[in-house]
């Protein structure tokens, strides 16, 4: 089956512009083209746009999933020249300028915009993914919330003080924005929201450990902000372990600096890699799987393919990669 990019009147739109990814970058492109009444098709494997910066609040029961998700069709519905296609792009045929979806549908393009985001990166330790979830999707947030709240329920029921201590120990690996947000939010959940809800345990005594291999939190921010974040977390009772690299992660324990720490739940916030789709372009990628782009964001060697957001390696005037923050992207 082939999907032809057409206008609402059945006329082929020229050039055929296809955006893959309905995150922040992809939506901005689709909106701008829609405002200019330029035809574009946007493809995403989810039918909703996710406000990822607030995922940690869903994971810690402060918000529900619908609070941070909105249908892509609703967001772009005001632009007649924009089409939304629900599908998972599995192949890029740069020679024929064709995208292949998981169900076999093919989508032709003249100009391709890749904005497929990132996924957790475990630095070659893929077995950790089974016991240490990352936080990139609503499903991730729901899994974390369920496991987090159940750990308190199981702690309430056990009569073994050692097991109770384990069930009230949460580890977060990675001191970037996600790790800091998770640590602070879990601390507030246990010390305030749940403080009076149990009889046999004291949730405010929950041990929360934030493990960071570097010498400071929030390495992409100014040093004074790193210091503020650390002091703020420590005032909430979070143990901040800087200069420590996690050595092993198992279902009920982690090993850090040679020390084995029994835990109820370990969360991964230590690294992300670009969506593997960009690897099909056949050009060199950096360690994080990002593809190098020119100043106008077209992929090196592919003037008809553009890469935005987490999949793009953009260098500054000194040849150093720009930090993957919203302010820089804007």
């Amino acid at each position: 089956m082939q999907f032809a990019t057409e206008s609402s009147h059945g006329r082929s739109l020229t050039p055929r512009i296809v955006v893959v990814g309905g995150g922040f970058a992809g939506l901005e492109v689709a909106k701008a083209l829609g405002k200019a009444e330029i035809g574009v098709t946007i493809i995403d494997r989810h039918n909703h746009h996710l406000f990822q910066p607030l995922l940690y609040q869903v994971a810690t029961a402060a918000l529900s999933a619908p609070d941070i998700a909105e249908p892509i069709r609703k967001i772009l519905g005001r632009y007649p020249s924009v089409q939304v296609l629900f599908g998972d792009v599995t192949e890029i045929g740069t020679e024929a300028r064709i995208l292949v979806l998981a169900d076999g549908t093919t989508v032709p393009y003249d100009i391709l915009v890749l904005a497929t985001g990132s996924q957790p990166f475990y630095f070659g330790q893929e077995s950790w993914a089974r016991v240490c979830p990352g936080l990139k999707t609503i499903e991730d947030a729901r899994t974390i919330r369920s496991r987090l709240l159940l750990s308190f329920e199981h702690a309430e029921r056990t009569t073994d003080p050692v097991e109770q201590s384990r069930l009230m120990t949460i580890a977060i690996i990675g001191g970037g924005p996600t790790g800091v947000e998770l640590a602070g939010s879990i601390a507030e959940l246990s010390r305030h929201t749940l403080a009076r809800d149990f009889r046999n345990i004291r949730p405010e005594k929950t041990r929360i450990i934030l493990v960071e291999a570097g010498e400071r939190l929030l390495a992409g921010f100014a040093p004074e902000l790193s210091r503020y974040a650390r002091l703020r977390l420590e005032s909430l009772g979070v143990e901040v372990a800087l200069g420590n690299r996690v050595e092993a992660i198992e279902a009920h324990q982690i090993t850090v600096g040679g020390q084995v720490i029994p835990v109820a739940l370990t969360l991964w916030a230590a690294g992300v890699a670009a969506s593997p789709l960009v690897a099909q372009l056949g050009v060199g990628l950096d360690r994080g799987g990002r593809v190098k782009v020119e100043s106008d964001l077209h992929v090196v060697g592919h003037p008809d393919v553009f890469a935005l957001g987490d999949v793009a390696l953009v260098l500054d005037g000194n040849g150093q990669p720009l930090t993957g923050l919203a302010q820089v992207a804007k």
Side-chain angles (χ1 to χ4, degrees), residues 181-240:
E181 289 166 345
L182 276 171
S185 193
I186 293 172
E188 290 179 345
L189 174 71
S190 61
R191 285 146 178 75
H192 301 293
T193 308
L194 301 180
R196 299 183 180 181
D197 290 351
F198 294 87
R199 298 292 178 267
N200 299 323
I201 61 171
R202 296 181 61 188
E204 65 271 22
K205 296 296 183 181
T206 299
R207 185 184 183 191
I208 303 164
I209 308 167
L210 179 59
V211 181
E212 167 55 41
E215 295 304 315
R216 64 185 180 97
L217 301 176
L218 303 175
F221 292 78
E224 56 268 25
L225 294 178
S226 298
R227 288 192 293 271
Y228 174 81
R230 179 178 181 178
L231 292 173
R232 191 76 181 90
L233 287 176
E234 290 177 339
S235 72
L236 290 171
V238 176
E239 298 179 29
V240 180

Side-chain angles (χ1 to χ4, degrees), residues 3-24:
F3 180 86
T5 306
E6 298 180 340
S7 73
S8 59
H9 302 293
R11 295 182 294 103
S12 293
L13 297 171
T14 303
R16 295 168 297 186
I17 303 172
V18 179
V19 177
V20 184
F24 292 113

